[in-house]
Amino acid sequence: TAKDLGGNQIFNYRHEDGRRAEYIFLIEHELREALREEQLECYLQAQVDETGALAGAETLVRWHHPVRGLVSPGDFIPVAERSDLIKQLDMWVLERSLEFLSGWQQQQRDLTIAVNISPRTLRSKHFVTEVLTAIERAGANSCGLVLEITEGLVVEDLSGSIEKMKALQTHGVQFSIDDFGTGYSSLTYIRELPAQELKIDQSFIRGVPESKADIAMIESILTVAKNLRIRVLAEGIETAEQAEFCKQRNMWGQGYYYDKPKPHADWCEAWLSHEG
Ligand code: C2E
Ligand code: MG
Ligand code: MG
Ligand code: MG
């Protein structure tokens, strides 16, 4: 069936026709194979501090599909999230990311690496121990690790998630709330969730400088974060004007304006080879 679906359409799991279950089954099968056969790759995208200086990178997974070519996570993460597959995937990405971090630390580079963790992975039973084991195995200093979680779904097991976050934080691991502002009652959750960083969703940044509503949202998030002493990072910065807007407000930044996600070797070449 793969052939007649064409292109990346097969990953459109929202497909409403009768073959939807079949697609999901197929993608799950192929993803398991992808994990075994190393078809996945970690891309990196720079994150900058409020002065525009390099602070670290976020790891964004890519799938080199043998037939369909390079596939973006938006097309397969939702399928992986339906089963324990997501945990395998997240841990694989985490292990690679910790190897990158360890390498930077050996070169005396004080950088962070941000890794996306699905709520399902965070909720898994031995998550805390497994993260600590992975840090140790990579020989990394845990202070450089930032785990990005999406607040919307953590809510399913809020107290359990908070407990795990706190346990890892005592070891120096930082947490960031991804896509902030898109969830339901976001501002109340940051009161509960122990996080060092909020990532303002790119949909708000897209409205800068035209949209008064988006700017008002950003300003109110900043007010709350400032009072709670939580760092704010703006996602999806694409223009010099947006970059300036964010810097003026002491936000960290990430987006195509600064860097496009790229393979680890290319990223190190672009960001680390000409200084230090
Ligand atoms: P995210 O964590 O919110 O990542 C930001 C997404 O925005 C990335 O898409 C990134 O490539 C894209 N982006 C960065 N800068 C810009 C910009 O200036 N403009 C625009 N329009 N987009 C920008 P990507 O790589 O396709 O990843 C999509 C989502 O997939 C991520 O959203 C994250 O939720 C998820 N994801 C990626 N890797 C992993 C992973 O290893 N594990 C899990 N659980 N989820 C992952
Ligand atoms: Mg993220
Ligand atoms: Mg995001
Ligand atoms: Mg996202």
Side-chain angles (χ1 to χ4, degrees), residues 77-179:
I77 292 286
V79 174
E81 280 177 333
R82 297 169 57 93
S83 71
D84 286 344
L85 203 50
I86 190 64
K87 194 188 171 195
Q88 277 182 61
L89 189 150
D90 284 346
M91 295 311 285
W92 184 87
V93 172
L94 177 69
E95 284 163 17
R96 299 291 82 67
S97 301
L98 285 165
E99 287 162 9
F100 302 158
L101 178 67
S102 174
W104 298 338
Q105 288 172 343
Q106 278 161 35
Q107 298 166 42
Q108 326 296 333
R109 302 272 185 177
D110 184 20
L111 300 172
T112 55
I113 193 135
V115 181
N116 291 286
I117 296 293
S118 162
R120 186 165 181 150
T121 304
L122 178 68
R123 282 203 303 270
S124 68
K125 205 169 167 201
H126 303 293
F127 182 69
V128 172
T129 330
E130 284 171 17
V131 172
L132 293 176
T133 305
I135 292 170
E136 203 172 291
R137 201 178 299 144
N141 182 331
S142 53
C143 298
L145 178 63
V146 180
L147 298 181
E148 294 193 1
I149 58 169
T150 38
E151 131 254 16
L153 293 160
V154 162
V155 170
E156 278 177 39
D157 177 21
L158 194 59
S159 63
S161 298
I162 290 171
E163 215 171 283
K164 291 192 168 83
M165 291 167 77
K166 284 188 172 157
L168 284 168
Q169 282 170 350
T170 64
H171 292 271
V173 177
Q174 299 181 57
F175 280 85
S176 176
I177 314 293
D178 205 350
D179 304 338

Side-chain angles (χ1 to χ4, degrees), residues 106 109 123 190 244 250 273:
Q106 278 161 35
R109 302 272 185 177
R123 282 203 303 270
I190 51 168
E244 199 45 46
N250 284 311
S273 65

Side-chain angles (χ1 to χ4, degrees), residues 27-80:
I27 297 163
E28 274 184 15
H29 172 78
E30 290 190 340
L31 254 180
R32 278 182 214 284
E33 211 163 74
L35 273 160
R36 269 199 312 272
E37 297 181 2
E38 314 214 341
Q39 293 167 11
L40 300 181
E41 184 175 9
C42 292
Y43 273 38
L44 294 179
Q45 185 182 31
Q47 298 182 324
V48 302
D49 69 14
E50 70 281 357
T51 70
L54 183 66
E58 176 179 7
T59 308
L60 295 159
V61 71
R62 297 289 181 267
W63 182 0
H64 295 280
H65 191 284
V67 179
R68 280 174 287 274
L70 194 66
V71 186
S72 286
D75 294 323
F76 60 89
I77 292 286
V79 174

